[in-house]
């Protein structure tokens, strides 16, 4: 059952992302890298002086391109234990570059060490949802890609954590910023591919009557992809019953 907060989120499309925020001169934080073509968010990287995050500065600071790493191009983390210990703090950081790095570590752990992260998945998901709500498109899209990898890795094991992710992905897939919208649609495809339809369909059903027509449309597409999978499962079960 959706909370009132989730319903408010669902019925309010997100505002356009803030762009080109200024930052002070100093040594740049480690850049967030990946593969991209047109899917690049050109934003100023957070800067630090003597280890402290700086405030706003005047014009003239060079831009940094933020790119996105496809799942198949991700490499394993260097140290599993260190990655796990620093993961929550990284996801909850106020530095958006650190958050993006932590999100990519969630993706790496989901792909290469999913059992190791299973115990903290309940703490990870709310922070991924927080990043999905982030007005900076680099953080938002990386969080969307993270959600897709989580669906692929954990399948039905994350069904109890699905609702807040589903709300945000339906919202993001319904907004006007194309590259965020397309990423969210891919994540929804991953969800319908990896989560059992018998568990997923009840989660989708309330959104089919949502007041927002875009939300209804996206939910209907997910529903239509899940129903044939359910039919195939039922046929297999029927054949097994007849065989026995």
């Amino acid at each position: 059952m959706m909370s009132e907060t989730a319903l408010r989120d669902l019925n309010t499309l997100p505002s356009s992302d803030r762009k080109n925020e200024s930052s002070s001169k100093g040594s740049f934080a480690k850049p967030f890298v990946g593969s991209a073509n047109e899917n690049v968010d050109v934003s100023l990287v957070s800067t630090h002086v003597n280890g402290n995050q700086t405030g706003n500065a005047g014009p003239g600071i060079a831009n940094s391109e933020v790119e996105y790493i496809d799942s198949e191009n991700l490499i394993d983390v260097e140290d599993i234990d260190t990655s796990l210990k620093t993961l929550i703090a990284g996801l909850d950081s106020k530095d958006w570059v650190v958050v993006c790095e932590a999100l990519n570590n969630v993706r790496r752990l989901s792909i290469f060490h999913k059992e190791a992260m299973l115990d903290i998945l309940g703490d990870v998901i709310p922070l991924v949802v927080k990043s999905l709500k982030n007005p900076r498109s680099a953080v938002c899209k990386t969080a969307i890609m993270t959600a897709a990898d989580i669906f692929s890795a954990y399948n039905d094991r994350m069904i109890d954590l699905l609702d807040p992710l589903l709300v945000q992905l339906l919202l993001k897939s319904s907004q006007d910023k194309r590259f965020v919208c397309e990423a969210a649609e891919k994540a929804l495809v991953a969800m319908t591919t990896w989560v059992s339809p018998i568990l997923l369909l009840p989660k989708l059903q309330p959104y089919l009557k949502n007041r927002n027509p875009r939300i209804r449309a996206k939910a209907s597409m997910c529903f239509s992809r899940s129903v044939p999978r359910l039919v195939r499962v039922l046929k297999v079960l029927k054949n097994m019953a007849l065989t026995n």
Side-chain angles (χ1 to χ4, degrees):
M1 184 174 182
M2 295 180 296
S3 65
E4 293 182 3
T5 301
L7 285 172
R8 283 199 303 271
D9 285 345
L10 189 60
N11 288 302
T12 305
L13 287 178
S15 60
S16 58
D17 294 17
R18 292 193 298 268
K19 297 180 182 179
N20 298 327
E21 297 175 5
S22 298
S23 59
S24 299
K25 292 182 179 179
S27 57
F28 282 101
K30 182 180 178 182
F32 168 48
V33 297
S35 61
N37 35 52
E38 65 173 353
N39 293 337
V40 176
D41 176 44
V42 181
S43 304
L44 292 178
V45 176
S46 301
T47 61
H48 296 72
V49 177
N50 296 326
N52 297 317
Q53 188 168 351
T54 62
N56 292 335
I61 306 301
N63 282 354
S64 173
E65 288 187 350
V66 176
E67 302 178 357
Y68 307 97
I69 310 172
D70 293 330
S71 300
E72 58 268 24
N73 295 328
L74 285 167
I75 59 174
D76 198 355
V77 295
E78 293 182 2
D79 187 317
I80 302 174
D81 292 335
T82 300
S83 296
L84 287 170
K85 289 177 182 177
T86 60
L87 194 61
I88 301 300
L91 291 171
D92 205 26
S93 174
K94 294 181 180 180
D95 186 330
W96 70 273
V97 177
V98 173
V99 174
C100 285
E101 291 173 346
L103 287 168
N104 274 331
N105 279 338
V106 172
R107 300 176 65 203
R108 293 183 178 99
L109 289 166
S110 296
I111 293 170
F112 298 103
H113 307 285
K114 63 182 180 181
E115 297 299 331
M117 198 175 68
L118 187 59
D119 289 341
I120 62 170
L121 194 61
D123 297 320
V124 168
I125 296 297
L127 293 173
V128 174
V129 172
K130 179 181 176 182
S131 292
L132 285 169
K133 297 177 181 180
N134 194 294
R136 186 183 290 275
S137 56
V139 177
C140 179
K141 180 171 177 178
T142 307
I144 292 170
M145 297 172 77
T146 302
D149 287 328
I150 287 174
F151 291 139
S152 177
Y154 294 102
N155 313 135
D156 295 347
R157 286 188 285 185
M158 51 91 55
I159 192 67
D160 292 334
L161 303 169
L162 179 64
D163 285 330
L165 280 175
L166 178 56
V167 170
Q168 290 304 314
L169 290 174
L170 287 172
L171 279 170
K172 300 305 177 184
S173 68
S174 303
Q175 71 167 5
D176 294 328
K177 178 161 281 192
R178 190 180 69 172
F179 79 100
V180 172
C181 178
E182 289 176 349
E185 288 177 344
K186 289 180 181 179
L188 290 172
V189 170
M191 178 188 70
T192 57
T193 300
W194 296 106
V195 179
S196 298
I198 198 168
L199 297 176
L200 181 58
L201 290 173
K203 299 283 187 181
L204 287 169
Q205 193 167 6
Y207 301 105
L208 299 176
K209 298 179 180 179
N210 190 265
R211 289 181 300 173
N212 188 315
R214 292 186 179 184
I215 297 296
R216 292 200 303 271
K218 299 299 181 180
S220 296
M221 290 174 65
C222 293
F223 204 89
S224 65
R225 283 194 297 266
S226 294
V227 169
R229 290 188 62 219
L230 179 60
V231 171
R232 288 195 295 270
V233 170
L234 293 176
K235 285 182 178 179
V236 170
L237 293 175
K238 181 179 180 181
N239 289 335
M240 290 175 62
L242 292 174
T243 302
N244 293 332

